[in-house]
Structure formats: C-alpha cells, structure tokens
C-alpha cells in the first residue's frame, strides 16, 4: 500500500511539474538554452581529448618501449605529460606547415583570378557590343546614383551596423572563451584519462546490473578501438597521398602542385566527396594559370588517386573499421545530412560500431536458437529410453 501511495505521489508531482513547465515554456526554453551553452565547451573538450588521444596513445606506447629497452622506469604521469606535449607540438607544426603552404598559394590564386577578371572585362564588354547587347542601362544606373541619399542611408544605418558589430564582437569573444575552456578540459582529461576511465567503470558497475555494465564497457572499448584505428589510418593515408600528389604533379610541372597535394590530403579525410572536390578545385586553379595543363592535371590526379586506393589504402587502413563500400556510402550520406562535414567523417566508425554490435547480437541469437534445437531432440530421446 505504501509503495502504491509513493508511486501515485510521484505521478502527481510529475504532472504538476509538467503543467508548470508548459505554462512557462519560455522560461524553460531559456533555462535549457543556458544549460546547453554551459555544456558546449565541456562536450567540445571531451571531443578534442578523444581525437588527440589517438596520437598521444601511440607516443605513450613508444615511450614505454624505450623505457623497457633502457631499463629505466618513468612514472606514468610523466609519460602522459611528455606524450601530451609532443602531441601538441606535432599538431602545431602540421597546422603551421599546412598554413605556410596553403596561404601563399591561395593569395596567389586570388590575385591571378582578379587580374584575369580585370583583363577579360573589356573583352566581355566588346563581345556584348558586337552582339548588339545594350549595357547602357548599367552606365545609366551608375550615373543615377545619388551620393547624398547614399550617405544619408549609410548614416541612418550606422546605428544598426554598430550594434551588429558589437554583437559579432561579443560572439567572437564568447567563441574564443569556449575554445580556451574546451582546450583546458581536454588537457585535464588527457592527463587524467586512466583515473577517469577507472572512475567511470566503478560508477557503471556500482549502479547498473552486471550484464548491463559489462555491455556498456564493451561498447565503450569498441568505440575507442574503432575510432583510434580509423583516425590513425586516415591520417597516415592522407600524408602518403599528399606526398605522392605533390611529387608526381611536380614532375609534370603542374602549377600549384603543393596546394593541390594539400587539398588532396585534406580531401581524403572526407570519403567520396573530398577527392572529387579537391580534384575540381585543383583543376580550376590550373585553369587560371595554364589552361593547357588542366587535362594533364586531372589525369595525374586520378591516376595517383587510383593507385593509392588500390594498393596503398588496403595496407595502411585495411579493414580497420570493417565496413563494406555500401555501408560506408550510407554512413557518409547520413552523417553529412545530419552533421555536415564532421558527420561525414565521424559517422563511418560509428556505423562500424553499430554494425559490429548488430553482428554480435545476431550471432548470439542464432547460437541460442541452435542450442535450443539441439537440446529438444536430446530430451525426446531421454523420454523414449525411460519408456
């Protein structure tokens, strides 16, 4: 009786709380928005830590091997700290190298595009005149512009412009603050990942059933392993493809060889879409400078991409995520639709996790059914013997 009374009391309390929330939906939405804004840097910090943990774990294993060979024991905390510092240095160097190679090429591309447009504008005007296309309305529109009215409109709209600028500045400061907080959280998570993992396992085992706790730990380990293999394999493959692309494009004296190589390396992280996009951008850049080499650029790009996909990718990445081409394409489409670029990248190992769990559950169900069909005839034989 007392248990039923408590259940009814909880149901009534839930109904009252739900009614109050619906009557003050605006305040509830603002409260939830505040919670989400507070959780954004925390979630971002865990995501950064999850990604950086892949190279950091490799460096930790290397340091442990070196310590075992030299027979010198280093504290785990010191190894984690050194590994984190080395990981950050590698990331900064890679970003700086890509920026140094990419920015000058992009600036040169923008300048050449501007010069090409300014050079072709008189020819375009002359071509339109030859075909009796009247563009005098453009000149008339320019002459009809009232500078006084334009200045008045600009002055009137100055307040809105200033307020927009202030809001943009506040958003930028908030974004930088969230980024700094996320990095700090990521550093703390990486330095204390062993204790954090142990504490999470203790909480799961303490408050959940043994079967559920074991299943959750199994899923977490599977996610960690598949994401680590996928990210490390894709990064190695991107570096190899970028080097090969720069080498062969330089042999054929293709303009912007370094830029196209960087684009190809970045594009390979985005399955299917990235390679086509980087090829198209590279062909466009070559078209601006030397149109006669566009076909050669496309052929070299496709040949290098084909060789890399057929001979290098299977050995570097192999079956690290265990997905067929069909499931990979489905993961890319669904991830791109839901989360854009990041979804296209991270949904592949996520789909691999789901497929692996589904396969294990299916095998378990089939084995249980098979065991049941084996036991039933055995019991029938036993009853016949007794008769």
């Amino acid at each position: 009786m007392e248990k039923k009374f408590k259940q009814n009391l909880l149901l009534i309390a839930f109904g009252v709380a739900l009614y109050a929330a619906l009557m003050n939906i605006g305040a509830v939405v603002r409260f939830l928005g505040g919670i989400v804004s507070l959780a954004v840097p925390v979630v971002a910090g865990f995501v950064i830590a999850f990604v950086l943990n892949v190279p950091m774990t490799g460096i930790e294993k290397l340091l442990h091997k070196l310590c075992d060979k030299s027979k010198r024991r280093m504290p785990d905390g010191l190894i984690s700290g050194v590994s984190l510092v080395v990981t950050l240095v590698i990331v900064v160097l890679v970003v700086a190298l890509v920026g140094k190679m990419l920015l000058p090429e992009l600036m040169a591309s923008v300048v050449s595009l501007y010069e090409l447009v300014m050079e072709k504008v008189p020819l375009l005007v002359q071509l339109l005149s030859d075909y009796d296309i009247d563009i005098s309305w453009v000149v008339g529109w320019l002459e009809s512009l009232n500078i006084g009215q334009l200045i008045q409109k600009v002055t009137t709209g100055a307040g809105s412009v200033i307020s927009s600028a202030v809001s943009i500045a506040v958003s930028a400061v908030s974004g930088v603050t969230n980024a700094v907080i996320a990095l700090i959280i990521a550093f703390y998570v990486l330095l204390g990942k062993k204790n954090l993992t142990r504490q999470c396992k203790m909480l799961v085992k303490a408050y959940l059933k043994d079967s559920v706790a074991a299943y959750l730990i199994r899923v977490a380990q599977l996610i960690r392993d598949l994401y680590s293999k996928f990210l490390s394999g894709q990064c190695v493959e991107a570096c190899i493809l970028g080097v090969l692309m720069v080498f062969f494009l330089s042999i054929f004296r293709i303009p912007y060889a370094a830029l196209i190589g960087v684009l190809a390396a970045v594009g390979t992280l985005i399955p299917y879409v990235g390679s086509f996009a980087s090829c198209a951008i590279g062909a466009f850049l070559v078209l601006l400078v030397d149109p006669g080499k566009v076909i050669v650029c496309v052929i070299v790009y496709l040949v290098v991409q084909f060789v890399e996909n057929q001979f290098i990718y299977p050995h570097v990445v192999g079956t690290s995520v265990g997905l067929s081409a069909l499931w990979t394409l489905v993961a890319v489409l669904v991830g791109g639709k839901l989360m854009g670029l990041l979804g296209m990248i991270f949904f592949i190992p996520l789909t691999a996790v789901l497929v692996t769990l589904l396969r294990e559950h299916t095998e378990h169900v089939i084995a249980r059914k098979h065991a049941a069909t084996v036991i039933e005839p055995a019991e029938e034989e036993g009853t016949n013997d007794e008769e």
Side-chain angles (χ1 to χ4, degrees):
M1 189 69 180
E2 183 180 356
K3 183 177 180 181
K4 188 175 181 180
F5 175 75
K6 288 182 179 180
Q7 291 177 351
N8 293 332
L9 186 62
L10 289 175
L11 185 61
I12 294 173
F14 176 76
V16 172
L18 181 61
Y19 176 78
L22 293 176
M23 295 301 296
N24 300 275
I25 190 66
V28 173
V29 171
R30 288 192 296 270
F31 176 74
L32 294 177
I35 293 178
V36 170
S37 62
L38 290 175
V40 165
V42 178
V43 175
F46 276 93
V47 172
I48 294 172
F50 187 78
V51 174
L52 292 180
N53 185 55
V54 176
M56 181 177 171
T57 302
I59 296 173
E60 285 178 342
K61 292 180 180 179
L62 179 61
L63 291 177
H64 280 295
K65 290 182 180 179
L66 294 176
C67 292
D68 293 337
K69 289 182 179 180
S70 62
K71 297 182 180 180
R72 292 181 180 179
R73 180 65 180 172
M74 290 180 61
D76 293 337
L78 180 59
I79 291 179
S80 299
V82 173
S83 302
L84 178 59
V85 172
V86 174
T87 302
L88 294 177
V89 170
I90 292 174
V91 171
V92 171
L93 289 178
V94 170
V95 172
L97 180 62
V98 172
K100 187 176 181 180
M101 294 175 61
L102 193 62
L103 291 179
E105 297 285 357
L106 287 177
M107 293 299 296
S109 302
V110 172
V111 172
S112 62
L113 179 61
Y114 173 76
E115 294 176 352
L116 182 64
V117 170
M118 295 304 295
E119 181 183 351
K120 298 297 181 182
V121 165
L123 298 177
L124 180 60
V125 173
Q126 183 63 36
L127 180 63
L128 294 176
S129 300
D130 293 339
Y131 283 94
D132 296 330
I133 299 176
D134 187 17
I135 59 172
S136 59
W137 63 273
V138 178
V139 179
W141 177 75
L142 292 174
E143 292 177 352
S144 64
L145 285 177
N146 192 329
I147 303 299
Q149 293 180 357
L150 183 62
I151 294 175
Q152 184 179 1
K153 290 181 180 180
V154 171
T155 305
T156 305
S160 61
V161 172
I162 292 174
S163 62
S164 300
V166 171
S167 62
I168 291 173
V170 171
S171 299
V173 172
S174 176
V176 172
T177 304
N178 288 336
V180 172
I181 295 175
L183 287 175
I184 294 174
I185 292 175
F187 294 159
Y188 276 109
V189 170
L190 290 172
L191 291 176
K193 58 183 179 180
K194 291 185 178 180
N195 291 331
L196 185 62
T197 302
R198 180 176 54 81
Q199 292 170 359
C200 290
K201 287 183 178 180
M202 290 176 61
L203 289 174
V204 170
K205 292 179 180 179
Y207 293 100
L208 296 176
K209 295 181 180 179
D210 293 339
S211 58
V212 177
Y215 184 76
L216 289 179
I217 293 174
R218 161 66 178 158
V219 172
Q221 291 175 349
L222 186 62
I223 293 174
R224 181 197 62 189
D225 295 339
L226 287 178
Y227 269 91
S228 299
K229 292 178 181 178
F230 176 76
L231 292 176
S232 58
Q234 289 295 112
C235 291
V236 173
E237 186 213 358
C239 295
I240 294 175
L241 179 61
V243 172
L244 290 177
M245 199 68 70
V246 173
F247 177 75
F248 285 102
L249 290 176
S250 301
I251 289 178
F252 288 92
R253 299 184 181 278
I254 304 296
Y256 303 126
L259 176 59
I260 297 174
V262 173
L263 291 174
V266 175
T268 194
L269 299 176
I270 309 171
Y272 298 105
V273 180
S275 58
F276 291 106
S278 57
C279 181
I281 295 173
F284 176 73
L285 294 176
V286 175
L287 179 64
L288 297 177
V289 179
D290 193 351
K293 292 186 176 180
V294 174
I295 298 178
V296 179
C297 174
V298 173
I299 292 175
V300 172
Y301 187 98
L302 294 178
V303 170
V304 174
Q305 186 78 44
F306 176 79
V307 172
E308 194 272 342
N309 287 335
Q310 296 297 322
F311 300 101
I312 298 177
Y313 184 86
H315 295 285
V316 175
V317 181
T319 57
S320 58
V321 294
L323 278 183
S324 62
L326 175 61
W327 286 112
T328 304
L329 181 60
V330 171
V332 171
L333 294 176
V334 175
K337 186 68 175 178
L338 294 179
M339 298 178 60
L341 181 62
L342 291 178
M344 297 174 69
I345 297 174
F346 287 98
F347 261 62
I348 293 178
L350 178 60
T351 306
V353 171
L354 297 177
V355 170
T356 303
L357 293 176
L358 179 60
R359 183 174 62 248
E360 292 179 353
H361 184 265
T362 303
E363 293 175 353
H364 176 70
V365 172
I366 293 175
R368 188 171 57 186
K369 288 184 176 180
H370 180 70
T373 56
V374 171
I375 293 174
E376 288 178 358
E379 290 178 352
E380 292 178 358
E381 291 179 0
T383 54
N384 292 332
D385 293 339
E386 291 178 358
E387 293 177 357

